[in-house]
Amino acid sequence: MGDNTVEIQIAEVIDTDPNSAECAVRCLSGTAHPGDVFVISSEHPPEQGVTPMTLEWIECYGFRADCLETAYTAKIRLSGTAATMLSEGSRITSPPR
């Protein structure tokens, strides 16, 4: 992973609908911002037809935040059909900005 690659680990999937998921997360590396695009980390190539997820918002201590930095936890909403495939322990990555 590059120095600025963002990696987030899902601690809990709080709520899902057919096109999004709200999750409790911890940022493992980099800094995430609303609008960043993520894919589920895997040693295998992504499944065909699975679209990336967009980080819609970040919430820390009940307030919306502009970013999520390494080692911090937050609640986030990801949109995209792949968001429904997330589970506890899943990791997602976004390329450097």
Side-chain angles (χ1 to χ4, degrees):
M1 251 184 277
D3 292 339
N4 296 320
T5 298
V6 179
E7 184 175 22
I8 291 176
Q9 185 171 32
I10 307 300
E12 177 185 3
V13 177
I14 299 166
D15 190 25
T16 62
D17 63 40
N19 295 308
S20 65
E22 188 173 299
C23 305
V25 301
R26 179 177 191 88
C27 186
L28 301 176
S29 67
T31 301
H33 299 86
D36 287 352
V37 176
F38 287 84
V39 295
I40 298 172
S41 301
S42 175
E43 294 177 10
H44 307 288
E47 294 178 40
Q48 282 192 326
V50 174
T51 58
M53 301 164 283
T54 302
L55 178 57
E56 296 295 325
W57 50 258
I58 301 165
E59 183 179 292
C60 296
Y61 303 106
F63 297 95
R64 293 290 165 100
D66 294 332
C67 66
L68 175 61
E69 297 178 328
T70 302
Y72 286 92
T73 60
K75 183 164 60 170
I76 65 172
R77 177 167 288 283
L78 295 160
S79 64
T81 54
T84 61
M85 298 167 34
L86 297 171
S87 61
E88 183 179 330
S90 294
R91 291 182 180 207
I92 59 175
T93 57
S94 180
R97 289 181 141 230

